[in-house]
Amino acid sequence: MQKKHYGAVLNPLRWWGRMPRLFWLVALFVGFLERKKSPLDPVLRSLLMTRVSQVCHCAFCIDANALRLAERCGGLEKVQAVATWRDSSLFSDQERAALAYAEAVTATPPMVDDTLKAALRRHYREEVITEMTALLAFQNLSARFNAALDIPSQGLCAMPGEKKDA
């Protein structure tokens, strides 16, 4: 399926494939988080996954999640601003609250305080916050797995000035 969608088997599959049962459990979890009836907007999901990827320094995840964010946003403008979201006018108050939460959840140990929880609750229902937290936990697992194994980018989302490899 990856070869059909991306034109190649993605680099992490070579590692996950060594433990097929674990791979399928992770794939089921991802499928659930990316379902059409998710309470999280697809753009928000991609935005959060891209930011967690950046914080965890996962080259592959940044590449793959930036591609999905660009597809869902219809361009690269927001993708290019994710790392500096605090200084950009491209993000809504809802997105800012979620991005702050993503960074706090990704910190080791997590740094989620009452002020951040209150800001999040102004924009999102408990069900959405729960699913957002699951998404962030998954992306942390994925990004840390790939970064620890030094899984490289595949050139899926070439940014201006970069050469697309895949």
Side-chain angles (χ1 to χ4, degrees), residues 83-95:
T84 57
W85 64 269
R86 284 181 178 84
D87 302 323
S88 174
S89 62
L90 294 176
F91 302 97
S92 69
D93 288 342
Q94 282 183 309
E95 290 171 327

Side-chain angles (χ1 to χ4, degrees), residues 2 9-18 23 53 56-64 141-156:
Q2 289 180 348
V9 173
L10 299 180
N11 292 331
L13 188 59
R14 300 183 200 301
W15 284 93
W16 284 110
R18 295 171 182 172
F23 168 77
S53 301
C56 291
H57 304 282
C58 174
F60 175 81
C61 297
I62 293 167
D63 185 29
L141 171 134
S142 181
R144 291 169 192 267
F145 178 93
N146 293 335
L149 295 173
D150 201 27
I151 295 175
S153 166
Q154 283 191 251
L156 300 171

Side-chain angles (χ1 to χ4, degrees), residues 47 50-51 54 69 78-85 91 99:
L47 181 64
T50 300
R51 186 61 190 133
Q54 292 171 339
L69 179 58
K78 217 167 201 178
V79 174
Q80 294 170 323
V82 173
T84 57
W85 64 269
F91 302 97
L99 284 162

